[in-house]
Amino acid sequence: MTVVLRRKRRAIYVLLCLTAMLLVLAVMSINSGKISLTPFEVLKVMIGGGTDRQQTVVMDFRLPRIILAILVGIGMSLAGSVKQTLLRNDMASPGTLGISAGSGLFVLLYIVMFSTQGMSAAFAMPVLSFVGGLTSATLIFLLAYRRRRPSSPTSLILTGVALGSGFGAASLFLTLKLDENQLNFVLRWSAGSLWGTEWRYLMILAPWIFVFSLYIFYKARLLDSLYFGHQVATGLGVSVKREFLLLAIAAIALASGSVSLGGNFFFIGLIAPHMARRLVGINHKWVLPASCLIGAVVVLLADTITRIVSFGADVPTGIVITILSTPYFLYLISKTN
């Protein structure tokens, strides 16, 4: 009992620290940029005061971007956490499984045929991204399927990598049909640029992330069972095939929504669940919120760095995330070998 209480206290302490870190980063981010604002000026804007210029800077540019960074971090980290649990493989994520590549291909098809501006894009791009991710996942499971024996996690991941490469080649082919403006948008989006920083996009993405995240949090105990293997879960009375399918769809939806408005933040879905389990243990009651907070902190930190530090060019957030995450990824590889 003492050990359980100690772990619970540690998990709560970690979550409180991560929450405080996220709040501090949000305050730093909203006060950072080419146009400097004092915390008092930002506070005035938040309560409805301030000049028109200050209102525009905070409400039209910085605050939507901060919210988008947090939503994308939550979506990608939760999707990665669920995938790693379902496949019982620490290398599983929407990126390694090729799901992000499938989502990206369908988004690119929309960009080729239509405009990314207007309210229709706010609805269409997340939905098409979800359809692309679901199509990719279906193809992966069909290609990795072996009659009368379950598909191994390694087989699924290798199939996902191969299929992701195919989707990447198709996406590269489509970029040849783009004009200069479209090509510039796609290159930045594929590098991980938080582009959907308008309230109309957030009005679509926020409920999308909230609904599917709520479902995954509701299934935290079931994820604990699946973490120890499908046989253990079956012995505990879990309908593994049904729950596996529903959780996989929820994870695909979260990753697809994040990809559609923020690009492919590959490392978030891979690294955040690892860090969460190291900090709070394997209980998904704590792993899931810790993953969300870590993902949100990393994305917001990277985005704040791109606005504070002058790189001589407008660097996409995804590039900074990769730079920040690579040392930890190499550390994980060294520990597992």
Side-chain angles (χ1 to χ4, degrees):
M1 189 66 177
T2 306
V3 175
V4 174
L5 285 173
R6 192 183 302 123
R7 288 177 179 173
K8 182 179 179 180
R9 287 174 183 170
R10 174 184 168 86
I12 293 173
Y13 175 74
V14 168
L15 292 181
L16 289 174
C17 288
L18 288 171
T19 303
M21 192 182 302
L22 182 60
L23 290 174
V24 170
L25 268 175
V27 172
M28 288 176 57
S29 184
I30 207 168
N31 284 282
S32 303
K34 294 179 180 178
I35 300 175
S36 61
L37 296 174
T38 66
F40 180 71
E41 289 173 332
V42 173
L43 182 61
K44 283 178 62 179
V45 171
M46 298 300 288
I47 61 175
T51 64
D52 290 341
R53 180 169 174 267
Q54 291 169 349
Q55 284 277 353
T56 301
V57 170
V58 174
M59 302 304 295
D60 293 342
F61 292 101
R62 293 183 185 172
L63 187 58
R65 191 176 183 93
I66 290 170
I67 294 173
L68 179 61
I70 292 172
L71 290 175
V72 169
I74 290 172
M76 291 303 290
S77 59
L78 265 185
S81 185
V82 171
K83 288 298 179 184
Q84 289 177 13
T85 298
L86 292 181
L87 298 180
R88 289 166 290 137
N89 191 302
D90 291 344
M91 293 300 295
S93 77
T96 54
L97 286 172
I99 292 171
S100 295
S103 297
L105 177 61
F106 275 61
V107 170
L108 185 56
L109 284 169
Y110 181 86
I111 294 170
V112 170
M113 294 184 290
F114 306 101
S115 170
T116 57
Q117 303 300 318
M119 197 64 187
S120 59
F123 284 98
M125 292 184 71
V127 172
L128 278 176
S129 181
F130 174 63
V131 172
L134 197 59
T135 302
S136 176
T138 302
L139 288 173
I140 290 167
F141 282 106
L142 287 175
L143 292 172
Y145 174 75
R146 297 293 180 269
R147 184 176 293 182
R148 294 181 180 177
R149 62 187 178 93
S151 301
S152 69
T154 303
S155 175
L156 287 169
I157 290 176
L158 290 176
T159 304
V161 170
L163 200 61
S165 298
F167 284 140
S171 298
L172 183 61
F173 174 76
L174 285 175
T175 57
L176 301 176
K177 299 179 178 294
L178 301 176
D179 59 36
E180 186 176 348
N181 291 330
Q182 288 176 321
L183 181 60
N184 182 57
F185 173 83
V186 169
L187 289 176
R188 294 187 58 77
W189 170 79
S190 61
S193 177
L194 293 168
W195 72 272
T197 55
E198 297 180 26
W199 288 109
R200 67 172 182 265
Y201 294 116
L202 296 178
M203 288 172 62
I204 303 300
L205 183 62
W208 182 284
I209 296 292
F210 176 77
V211 169
F212 288 105
S213 297
L214 197 63
Y215 174 76
I216 289 174
F217 275 97
Y218 175 70
K219 294 292 184 178
R221 286 190 177 183
L222 189 141
L223 284 166
D224 286 336
S225 303
L226 292 172
Y227 183 81
F228 293 104
H230 293 178
Q231 290 183 340
V232 173
T234 302
L236 293 173
V238 175
S239 178
V240 172
K241 289 185 178 179
R242 177 177 174 274
E243 298 296 346
F244 186 100
L245 178 62
L246 292 175
L247 284 165
I249 290 174
I252 292 167
L254 286 171
S256 301
S258 302
V259 165
S260 65
L261 298 182
N264 186 6
F265 291 92
F266 166 71
F267 274 108
I268 296 299
L270 187 63
I271 298 298
H274 279 279
M275 297 180 71
R277 284 193 293 270
R278 284 181 174 271
L279 290 172
V280 300
I282 61 174
N283 189 334
H284 284 78
K285 178 183 177 181
W286 308 113
V287 169
L288 296 177
S291 295
C292 289
L293 289 169
I294 291 169
V297 165
V298 173
V299 177
L300 185 56
L301 174 62
D303 186 59
T304 304
I305 289 173
T306 62
R307 292 193 290 113
I308 293 176
V309 181
S310 176
F311 294 98
D314 189 8
V315 178
T317 306
I319 294 176
V320 179
I321 289 176
T322 303
I323 294 171
L324 293 175
S325 303
T326 298
Y328 184 76
F329 185 61
L330 294 174
Y331 166 75
L332 284 177
I333 294 175
S334 67
K335 295 293 285 185
T336 54
N337 289 338

